[in-house]
Amino acid sequence: MTVYERLLDIATRKGAGYLVLIDPDKVDPKQLPQLIENAAEAGADAILVGGSLMVRDQFDAVLRIVKDATTLPTIIFPGSLFQISAVADAILYLVLVSGRNPEYLIGSHVIAAPMLKAMALEPISTAYMIVEGGSTTSAEFMSGTRPLPRNKPDIAVAHSLAAEYMGMKLLYFDSGSGAEHPVSDAIIRSVRHYCSLPIVVGGGIRTPEEAHRKVQAGATFVVTGTIIEEKGHHSILKEFADAVHGGVSKAKQ
Ligand code: 1GP
């Protein structure tokens, strides 16, 4: 089974999947094994590794720690061409369709493709869309692109349909790490209505209730990074995993 097939299987069996994002720049390698074990034990479905900017040289080391700590799929969420490694199980082959910078629409992909082939690293073709989240995100600044407007679901739908018609396999809506406003439920609902691709939602999701709302709106996968960097203990990870898998009590919604 490919990693993509595993992800689809998770979504089918559990209704939605919970993805924990590790930013190699922000994590303490000494605490990482415990965090990953906590995530796996709590019911997370996969680990994403990547970040918009890397100041520290520990990308490969972090991937190895994650791989050694779990059998969950370890998937690179690359911020640049420097974030490619055979240690991972797969890589989100991100096409920044919300932007109009050719480098992130095809340029980097041409450079990366033969490397992925040589490494036998599974690429998961992903339409990556940055959505206004309240302030400029690192991805937005680094890519020199403008985000999708936050209050115009029809624009998000048009981009998603274009990605689907081009044969991409996943839609990833990101309002940016630590965003003030997560991607709106209205955007997720509209895209779910018109598109059949799995939808990944991340950026600024700080509570299990919020994660649950994203799934109710139509998200197939929910990503959390910052909140887990801040509070990586087992109980919060379990609350998120349960919320994504449908278990938030009605009283908390
Ligand atoms: C950002 O989608 C991710 O690219 C996760 O965002 O760090 O805000 O959880 P947070």
Side-chain angles (χ1 to χ4, degrees), residues 21 77 128 172 174 176-179 201-205 223-227 229:
L21 171 64
F77 173 42
Y128 185 56
Y172 190 143
D174 197 343
S177 194
V201 176
I205 296 172
V223 181
T224 63
T226 306
I227 190 73
E229 280 156 21

Side-chain angles (χ1 to χ4, degrees), residues 164-193:
E164 184 166 344
Y165 296 160
M166 285 177 185
M168 294 177 199
K169 290 177 163 177
L170 210 58
L171 305 170
Y172 190 143
F173 289 95
D174 197 343
S175 54
S177 194
E180 199 180 321
H181 307 290
V183 175
S184 72
D185 296 354
I187 284 187
I188 301 167
R189 259 197 305 274
S190 299
V191 172
R192 180 72 301 147
H193 183 76

Side-chain angles (χ1 to χ4, degrees), residues 139-221:
E140 189 184 325
F141 182 82
M142 295 305 290
S143 63
T145 63
R146 293 174 65 191
L148 298 181
R150 170 172 170 69
N151 297 319
K152 300 212 182 291
D154 53 340
I155 294 185
V157 168
H159 281 74
S160 303
L161 277 175
E164 184 166 344
Y165 296 160
M166 285 177 185
M168 294 177 199
K169 290 177 163 177
L170 210 58
L171 305 170
Y172 190 143
F173 289 95
D174 197 343
S175 54
S177 194
E180 199 180 321
H181 307 290
V183 175
S184 72
D185 296 354
I187 284 187
I188 301 167
R189 259 197 305 274
S190 299
V191 172
R192 180 72 301 147
H193 183 76
Y194 288 101
C195 301
S196 55
L197 291 177
I199 300 173
V200 184
V201 176
I205 296 172
R206 289 187 187 78
T207 64
E209 293 75 29
E210 185 84 62
H212 188 66
R213 275 201 298 278
K214 299 307 162 202
V215 174
Q216 283 185 316
T220 322
F221 298 99

Side-chain angles (χ1 to χ4, degrees), residues 80-104:
S80 75
L81 280 166
F82 295 103
Q83 295 174 35
I84 296 178
S85 167
V87 178
D89 298 312
I91 182 167
L92 296 184
Y93 200 57
L94 300 176
V95 184
L96 183 53
V97 300
S98 57
R100 298 295 181 267
N101 182 343
E103 207 43 49
Y104 296 96

Side-chain angles (χ1 to χ4, degrees), residues 15-38:
Y18 176 44
L19 314 181
V20 171
L21 171 64
I22 302 295
D23 184 332
D25 240 21
K26 296 188 183 146
V27 77
D28 176 354
K30 287 196 206 72
Q31 289 174 4
L32 188 55
Q34 188 62 55
L35 195 156
I36 298 301
E37 277 167 38
N38 288 348

